[in-house]
Amino acid sequence: MKLLSIFFISVCYMCISAINTCFATTQMDESSPKIIDIKTSPTPIINQWVILRQRTNGELHIEAIVENAWKVRFWTVPVKNKSWQDSWEHKKLISEDQDGEDGWTTTFYYGKENLLTFIVVEAVGMDGQTARWPFYVAYKK
């Protein structure tokens, strides 16, 4: 009987630990920033590419649909190879939006940049966690 009691207590402890772990993970995931979608105009994103039709100066409006963020940063990152992470140290801030009341938006002014660049949208949560969503911007040949 004593062995059965020890077994029962051990099983209960494992169940409570598992429930607490699941609850903590759910809470962390729910409070982590998430980028749901990115929209651009006048040229839309298609398969993570924005192809600009003109080679003169212009504007690209960027809107991020984001959850659980207190600010959103918009970066340009040069294309050195296929990975934006490899060039992250060379990033340049386009803007930082700290008021999502009117949406998380910026305007990217182009004309002087390379023909191919990444734009990375970075959502920052209250605890400093980040979520990033990159897309390419290129001029049509």
Side-chain angles (χ1 to χ4, degrees):
M1 187 68 168
K2 188 174 183 179
L3 187 59
L4 187 60
S5 295
I6 292 172
F7 176 75
F8 179 74
I9 291 171
S10 297
V11 169
C12 288
Y13 177 76
M14 289 187 318
C15 288
I16 291 170
S17 294
I19 289 169
N20 285 339
T21 301
C22 290
F23 182 69
T25 303
T26 302
Q27 280 186 324
M28 184 177 71
D29 289 345
E30 289 176 0
S31 66
S32 298
K34 292 180 185 80
I35 301 173
I36 308 302
D37 197 13
I38 304 290
K39 297 179 182 180
T40 58
S41 63
T43 307
I45 293 179
I46 300 172
N47 295 327
Q48 290 192 287
W49 282 86
V50 174
I51 306 298
L52 304 172
R53 299 188 196 290
Q54 59 195 37
R55 290 181 183 244
T56 59
N57 293 341
E59 298 178 1
L60 181 68
H61 180 73
I62 305 166
E63 178 184 5
I65 291 76
V66 174
E67 293 179 350
N68 304 324
W70 70 281
K71 65 181 170 183
V72 174
R73 296 180 186 134
F74 300 87
W75 303 93
T76 59
V77 180
V79 175
K80 304 254 184 205
N81 57 32
K82 293 181 181 181
S83 172
W84 61 271
Q85 290 104 333
D86 292 342
S87 301
W88 186 245
E89 64 192 38
H90 303 289
K91 67 188 178 291
K92 291 182 183 175
L93 186 64
I94 299 169
S95 71
E96 181 177 274
D97 190 342
Q98 295 185 0
D99 182 15
E101 298 271 332
D102 59 346
W104 303 102
T105 61
T106 194
T107 301
F108 173 60
Y109 299 95
Y110 60 87
K112 299 174 185 157
E113 290 74 26
N114 293 331
L115 295 179
L116 177 62
T117 190
F118 286 107
I119 292 183
V120 179
V121 177
E122 179 182 46
V124 181
M126 293 299 284
D127 58 359
Q129 289 184 339
T130 60
R132 295 181 182 135
W133 183 321
F135 61 92
Y136 290 97
V137 176
Y139 292 114
K140 185 177 182 179
K141 290 187 176 185

